[in-house]
Amino acid sequence: MSTDDATEKARENGNGVELPSTQRLIPFENKEHNPESYEDMQLDYSPLLFSSLERYLPPNMLNLPRDRKVHFLSDILTRYSPQGEHTRVQKHRKYRQQILSNYEPRHKELYTMNAANFFVPSFLKAISENSEESFRSIMVEPTPGVYTFEMFQPKFCEMLMAEVESMERWVHDQRFHIICPNTMNKYGVVLDDFGLETMLNKLMDGYICPMSRVFFPEVGGLTLDSHHGFVVEYGVNRDIELGFHVDDSEVTLNVCLGEQFYGGDLFFRGVRCDKHVNTETQSEEVFDYAHIPGRAVLHRGRHRHGARATISGHRVNLVIWCRSSVFRELKKHQNDFSSWCGDCRREKKERQHLSVAATKLELLKRDGISAS
């Protein structure tokens, strides 16, 4: 039976999940395989997701043409997506195509990765050296797991804000219904929808991933393969503040672009897994951060945080949620997240303390019996 026949037979079974052995990914990453790029193809899922999953293809499929691999991986992704997810993806794809067919970019240079014109020299130097020492040389870690550093040149910040203003003017003039950046922010734009997806993919892959591999390996920093990139706006006639939450990401990059504003500080309150997301904050987990234009904040998506009210002026931030499909799948089968969740770590220490105390008590009892 051919691969395509096996796929069709699995579909006819009607369960939508169970796959024949020839239609499954292998459980271990093939680290020696160099995956192909899928950025030039029209896909229902992120091109980086296909590149990441390619390392888990059965050995006999690694050298097949890209369209065969896309067919195989798309079939698996569709089967494991929640009910209705595929339809949602298709609708979103049409939504993007409608924008890209009609919106004319104001600053076309933003849509390519021109590192020399985007980043400050100190950041480029650290990335080129690509070591923990080089990254720490430009970073401040004011509280565990939160890193701040100079990243973007003022010219880039100004161009991106002007581009967002152009996008919003086009939306208004066309009376076009725009999708909000996320479920909490009403003002801003999803940059991926306006043609910046390829540039942001390169930003994640070449500049965020090297740092995430060093500082966040335990939460998927080693395997980031997709992103959600957007700009949010705060101030008069915009969002005022942002409530206490966690991001839909493994690693988040948040960069203030400008402009003149007062207030709007970020507040962090500890890293939590799903089970402990609403538990009490410990005193050592309390940290507030004041935004500075051009300066980035890098943190785990599960680091609980929010934004205080922007009292005056206009604040604009670029936010990139970086995700790992591999980590999300592995997380489904774990119960202990003590490597990164604050409360899991405290519970584990408490169990260890009780175990040691019980062992000591048992030894004391035995010594007492021996003495008698």
Side-chain angles (χ1 to χ4, degrees), residues 49 94 107 165 175 213 263 321 372:
L49 180 57
K94 290 180 180 179
H107 293 291
E165 183 181 346
R175 297 181 179 179
R213 293 186 189 108
W321 289 350
S372 62

mmCIF file with all atom_site columns, all heavy atoms in Angstrom, residues 49 94 107 165 175 213 263 321 372:
data_model
loop_
_atom_site.group_PDB
_atom_site.id
_atom_site.type_symbol
_atom_site.label_atom_id
_atom_site.label_alt_id
_atom_site.label_comp_id
_atom_site.label_asym_id
_atom_site.label_entity_id
_atom_site.label_seq_id
_atom_site.pdbx_PDB_ins_code
_atom_site.Cartn_x
_atom_site.Cartn_y
_atom_site.Cartn_z
_atom_site.occupancy
_atom_site.B_iso_or_equiv
_atom_site.pdbx_formal_charge
_atom_site.auth_seq_id
_atom_site.auth_comp_id
_atom_site.auth_asym_id
_atom_site.auth_atom_id
_atom_site.pdbx_PDB_model_num
ATOM 1  N N   . LEU A 1 49  ? 7.142   25.947 11.201 1.00 0.00 ? 49  LEU A N   1
ATOM 2  C CA  . LEU A 1 49  ? 6.615   24.736 11.821 1.00 0.00 ? 49  LEU A CA  1
ATOM 3  C C   . LEU A 1 49  ? 6.957   23.516 10.967 1.00 0.00 ? 49  LEU A C   1
ATOM 4  O O   . LEU A 1 49  ? 7.367   22.476 11.484 1.00 0.00 ? 49  LEU A O   1
ATOM 5  C CB  . LEU A 1 49  ? 5.108   24.857 12.005 1.00 0.00 ? 49  LEU A CB  1
ATOM 6  C CG  . LEU A 1 49  ? 4.386   23.670 12.647 1.00 0.00 ? 49  LEU A CG  1
ATOM 7  C CD1 . LEU A 1 49  ? 4.979   23.349 14.011 1.00 0.00 ? 49  LEU A CD1 1
ATOM 8  C CD2 . LEU A 1 49  ? 2.904   23.963 12.766 1.00 0.00 ? 49  LEU A CD2 1
ATOM 9  N N   . LYS A 1 94  ? -7.409  33.641 3.970  1.00 0.00 ? 94  LYS A N   1
ATOM 10 C CA  . LYS A 1 94  ? -8.123  34.489 3.013  1.00 0.00 ? 94  LYS A CA  1
ATOM 11 C C   . LYS A 1 94  ? -8.118  35.936 3.482  1.00 0.00 ? 94  LYS A C   1
ATOM 12 O O   . LYS A 1 94  ? -8.003  36.872 2.680  1.00 0.00 ? 94  LYS A O   1
ATOM 13 C CB  . LYS A 1 94  ? -9.553  33.986 2.849  1.00 0.00 ? 94  LYS A CB  1
ATOM 14 C CG  . LYS A 1 94  ? -9.662  32.650 2.127  1.00 0.00 ? 94  LYS A CG  1
ATOM 15 C CD  . LYS A 1 94  ? -11.121 32.216 1.990  1.00 0.00 ? 94  LYS A CD  1
ATOM 16 C CE  . LYS A 1 94  ? -11.212 30.874 1.276  1.00 0.00 ? 94  LYS A CE  1
ATOM 17 N NZ  . LYS A 1 94  ? -12.622 30.416 1.154  1.00 0.00 ? 94  LYS A NZ  1
ATOM 18 N N   . HIS A 1 107 ? 6.888   51.872 4.117  1.00 0.00 ? 107 HIS A N   1
ATOM 19 C CA  . HIS A 1 107 ? 8.341   51.702 4.212  1.00 0.00 ? 107 HIS A CA  1
ATOM 20 C C   . HIS A 1 107 ? 8.691   50.260 3.826  1.00 0.00 ? 107 HIS A C   1
ATOM 21 O O   . HIS A 1 107 ? 8.728   49.373 4.669  1.00 0.00 ? 107 HIS A O   1
ATOM 22 C CB  . HIS A 1 107 ? 8.837   51.998 5.631  1.00 0.00 ? 107 HIS A CB  1
ATOM 23 C CG  . HIS A 1 107 ? 8.693   53.428 6.040  1.00 0.00 ? 107 HIS A CG  1
ATOM 24 N ND1 . HIS A 1 107 ? 9.452   54.436 5.485  1.00 0.00 ? 107 HIS A ND1 1
ATOM 25 C CD2 . HIS A 1 107 ? 7.862   54.026 6.939  1.00 0.00 ? 107 HIS A CD2 1
ATOM 26 C CE1 . HIS A 1 107 ? 9.108   55.603 6.031  1.00 0.00 ? 107 HIS A CE1 1
ATOM 27 N NE2 . HIS A 1 107 ? 8.144   55.379 6.904  1.00 0.00 ? 107 HIS A NE2 1
ATOM 28 N N   . GLU A 1 165 ? 0.912   53.332 11.610 1.00 0.00 ? 165 GLU A N   1
ATOM 29 C CA  . GLU A 1 165 ? -0.024  54.438 11.380 1.00 0.00 ? 165 GLU A CA  1
ATOM 30 C C   . GLU A 1 165 ? -0.619  54.348 9.983  1.00 0.00 ? 165 GLU A C   1
ATOM 31 O O   . GLU A 1 165 ? -1.822  54.575 9.788  1.00 0.00 ? 165 GLU A O   1
ATOM 32 C CB  . GLU A 1 165 ? 0.708   55.768 11.562 1.00 0.00 ? 165 GLU A CB  1
ATOM 33 C CG  . GLU A 1 165 ? -0.193  56.985 11.409 1.00 0.00 ? 165 GLU A CG  1
ATOM 34 C CD  . GLU A 1 165 ? 0.570   58.290 11.570 1.00 0.00 ? 165 GLU A CD  1
ATOM 35 O OE1 . GLU A 1 165 ? 1.716   58.259 12.051 1.00 0.00 ? 165 GLU A OE1 1
ATOM 36 O OE2 . GLU A 1 165 ? 0.005   59.338 11.201 1.00 0.00 ? 165 GLU A OE2 1
ATOM 37 N N   . ARG A 1 175 ? -12.711 50.916 5.532  1.00 0.00 ? 175 ARG A N   1
ATOM 38 C CA  . ARG A 1 175 ? -13.743 50.384 6.425  1.00 0.00 ? 175 ARG A CA  1
ATOM 39 C C   . ARG A 1 175 ? -13.605 48.871 6.555  1.00 0.00 ? 175 ARG A C   1
ATOM 40 O O   . ARG A 1 175 ? -14.575 48.117 6.481  1.00 0.00 ? 175 ARG A O   1
ATOM 41 C CB  . ARG A 1 175 ? -15.138 50.760 5.904  1.00 0.00 ? 175 ARG A CB  1
ATOM 42 C CG  . ARG A 1 175 ? -15.379 52.258 5.874  1.00 0.00 ? 175 ARG A CG  1
ATOM 43 C CD  . ARG A 1 175 ? -16.765 52.604 5.386  1.00 0.00 ? 175 ARG A CD  1
ATOM 44 N NE  . ARG A 1 175 ? -16.974 54.051 5.389  1.00 0.00 ? 175 ARG A NE  1
ATOM 45 C CZ  . ARG A 1 175 ? -18.106 54.650 4.984  1.00 0.00 ? 175 ARG A CZ  1
ATOM 46 N NH1 . ARG A 1 175 ? -19.118 53.890 4.571  1.00 0.00 ? 175 ARG A NH1 1
ATOM 47 N NH2 . ARG A 1 175 ? -18.202 55.956 5.009  1.00 0.00 ? 175 ARG A NH2 1
ATOM 48 N N   . ARG A 1 213 ? 17.840  29.875 23.334 1.00 0.00 ? 213 ARG A N   1
ATOM 49 C CA  . ARG A 1 213 ? 18.514  28.587 23.530 1.00 0.00 ? 213 ARG A CA  1
ATOM 50 C C   . ARG A 1 213 ? 19.392  28.618 24.777 1.00 0.00 ? 213 ARG A C   1
ATOM 51 O O   . ARG A 1 213 ? 19.548  27.615 25.468 1.00 0.00 ? 213 ARG A O   1
ATOM 52 C CB  . ARG A 1 213 ? 19.362  28.242 22.307 1.00 0.00 ? 213 ARG A CB  1
ATOM 53 C CG  . ARG A 1 213 ? 18.564  27.955 21.045 1.00 0.00 ? 213 ARG A CG  1
ATOM 54 C CD  . ARG A 1 213 ? 19.453  27.491 19.911 1.00 0.00 ? 213 ARG A CD  1
ATOM 55 N NE  . ARG A 1 213 ? 18.720  27.429 18.659 1.00 0.00 ? 213 ARG A NE  1
ATOM 56 C CZ  . ARG A 1 213 ? 18.865  28.269 17.647 1.00 0.00 ? 213 ARG A CZ  1
ATOM 57 N NH1 . ARG A 1 213 ? 19.761  29.253 17.728 1.00 0.00 ? 213 ARG A NH1 1
ATOM 58 N NH2 . ARG A 1 213 ? 18.150  28.141 16.550 1.00 0.00 ? 213 ARG A NH2 1
ATOM 59 N N   . GLY A 1 263 ? 3.920   56.633 32.622 1.00 0.00 ? 263 GLY A N   1
ATOM 60 C CA  . GLY A 1 263 ? 3.264   55.452 33.173 1.00 0.00 ? 263 GLY A CA  1
ATOM 61 C C   . GLY A 1 263 ? 3.489   54.246 32.273 1.00 0.00 ? 263 GLY A C   1
ATOM 62 O O   . GLY A 1 263 ? 4.428   54.187 31.485 1.00 0.00 ? 263 GLY A O   1
ATOM 63 N N   . TRP A 1 321 ? 5.402   36.902 20.244 1.00 0.00 ? 321 TRP A N   1
ATOM 64 C CA  . TRP A 1 321 ? 5.230   35.665 20.994 1.00 0.00 ? 321 TRP A CA  1
ATOM 65 C C   . TRP A 1 321 ? 5.881   34.527 20.205 1.00 0.00 ? 321 TRP A C   1
ATOM 66 O O   . TRP A 1 321 ? 5.434   34.202 19.093 1.00 0.00 ? 321 TRP A O   1
ATOM 67 C CB  . TRP A 1 321 ? 3.746   35.358 21.187 1.00 0.00 ? 321 TRP A CB  1
ATOM 68 C CG  . TRP A 1 321 ? 3.035   36.269 22.140 1.00 0.00 ? 321 TRP A CG  1
ATOM 69 C CD1 . TRP A 1 321 ? 3.588   37.188 22.978 1.00 0.00 ? 321 TRP A CD1 1
ATOM 70 C CD2 . TRP A 1 321 ? 1.621   36.331 22.360 1.00 0.00 ? 321 TRP A CD2 1
ATOM 71 N NE1 . TRP A 1 321 ? 2.624   37.827 23.711 1.00 0.00 ? 321 TRP A NE1 1
ATOM 72 C CE2 . TRP A 1 321 ? 1.407   37.323 23.365 1.00 0.00 ? 321 TRP A CE2 1
ATOM 73 C CE3 . TRP A 1 321 ? 0.536   35.657 21.824 1.00 0.00 ? 321 TRP A CE3 1
ATOM 74 C CZ2 . TRP A 1 321 ? 0.123   37.648 23.814 1.00 0.00 ? 321 TRP A CZ2 1
ATOM 75 C CZ3 . TRP A 1 321 ? -0.740  35.982 22.279 1.00 0.00 ? 321 TRP A CZ3 1
ATOM 76 C CH2 . TRP A 1 321 ? -0.939  36.965 23.268 1.00 0.00 ? 321 TRP A CH2 1
ATOM 77 N N   . SER A 1 372 ? 17.735  0.204  73.405 1.00 0.00 ? 372 SER A N   1
ATOM 78 C CA  . SER A 1 372 ? 17.017  -0.502 74.453 1.00 0.00 ? 372 SER A CA  1
ATOM 79 C C   . SER A 1 372 ? 17.350  -2.011 74.453 1.00 0.00 ? 372 SER A C   1
ATOM 80 O O   . SER A 1 372 ? 17.276  -2.660 75.480 1.00 0.00 ? 372 SER A O   1
ATOM 81 C CB  . SER A 1 372 ? 15.524  -0.324 74.271 1.00 0.00 ? 372 SER A CB  1
ATOM 82 O OG  . SER A 1 372 ? 15.088  -0.875 73.028 1.00 0.00 ? 372 SER A OG  1
#
